[in-house]
Structures are given as C-alpha cells and as structure tokens.
Amino acid sequence: GIIGGGVGVLIASSLMGLNAWKIADLAGPAIVIGLGVGRMGCFFAGCCHGAVAPMGPDPHSLLPEGLLHGQIWLSSRFPFITTEFNDGVGRLLNEPLYPTQLWSVVTGLSLAAFLSWLWTKRRFDGQIAGITLLIEPPTRAFIESFRADARGYAFTVPVSDTVAAWFPG
C-alpha cells in the first residue's frame, strides 16, 4: 500500500507541478504515525503478537482483571513488559508474549515526533523522507524478529538454533 501510494503521489505531484520531494518530506511522519496507530488495532485484536517471552519471578499485573480480555505484565526480566491474551485472533493464548504491537506503537510515534522536530532543521527537500527510509525499516525488522504471528509473511528463512535464541520470533 505504501509503495502504491508513493507511486500515485509521485504521478499526481508531477502532473500538478508540485515538488515531489517536499511532498515526500510531509508524508514521512504521517506514514510512521499510521504504522504506529495501526499496531494499536493489532494490540486490541490480539494479532501481530510476539513469541512467548520469559518473565521474572514475581510479575505485576498492570490492568484490572478482565479488562481487554488479557493482561499486561511488568517483570524484572527482559522484555520487562509482556502481554497476555485470553482470547482474540492470535494463536498464542494465556501465555506471556513479547509486546511487539506496543513496541511498534512507541517506535512509530517516537519516530514521527523526531521527524517533526527535525523538519525545522532540514537542509534540503527529501531529507525527512530519506531519514524515514533509513530509520524505520531496521527498527521494524528488529521488532518483527520477535513476532510469532506469521500471518502476512511473504516468505520465511530458516535460521540456526543460535540465531533463533537471539531472535525468538
């Protein structure tokens, strides 16, 4: 969708005589806001969840019991916050999971805030779009490596047990 939208905007901007790089600079923060807010929907649906995560010895619940049909746990062990779903569209229920949806929300909104702040300091048209393309993909790839919900993957790559231990998704 983003690629198709980008091509459409480039075509429309050239037909209208607009500077495509300025439009791309405007689109960068908006796109990462959309990605972050979209993952909030994933969180509430229980999809796009992480792999089973370790928890410390005495986790503390952050939500009243029964709210959201699950729980958010605070723990003394990485990832420090885990999510648990009792129902929903996810395939791992009643287990602590890496909070990949929440990581995506925080990352998307933080990146949008950074890009908006950087807007006043940009030196050329296209700089914000370029920085978006440099920062968002690696952060997304890192978060995706902790996911265990394979729906939507175009392909998968088998990895060694050593690599799998570092990236459990």
Side-chain angles (χ1 to χ4, degrees), residues 11-129:
I11 291 170
S13 63
S14 67
L15 292 174
M16 297 169 69
L18 300 172
N19 183 336
W21 289 113
K22 284 186 180 180
I23 292 173
D25 279 344
L26 290 170
I31 289 170
V32 293
I33 286 173
L35 292 171
V37 170
R39 288 294 189 206
M40 285 174 44
C42 295
F43 171 71
F44 288 115
C47 64
C48 304
H49 56 73
V52 175
M55 282 204 325
D58 291 320
H60 300 285
S61 60
L62 296 180
L63 298 175
E65 192 168 331
L67 184 68
L68 300 179
H69 300 274
Q71 189 55 259
I72 299 175
W73 296 100
L74 184 61
S75 172
S76 60
R77 186 170 176 199
F78 178 82
F80 307 112
I81 293 178
T82 58
T83 55
E84 180 181 322
F85 300 97
N86 303 113
D87 58 22
V89 298
R91 63 179 182 80
L92 296 175
L93 302 176
N94 304 312
E95 296 190 62
L97 307 173
Y98 286 99
T100 54
Q101 311 101 320
L102 300 179
W103 289 348
S104 294
V105 170
V106 169
T107 301
L109 298 179
S110 298
L111 182 55
F114 171 71
L115 293 171
S116 297
W117 170 80
L118 196 61
W119 177 267
T120 60
K121 295 163 181 27
R122 73 189 189 338
R123 296 185 179 169
F124 56 90
D125 293 337
Q127 182 179 6
I128 303 299

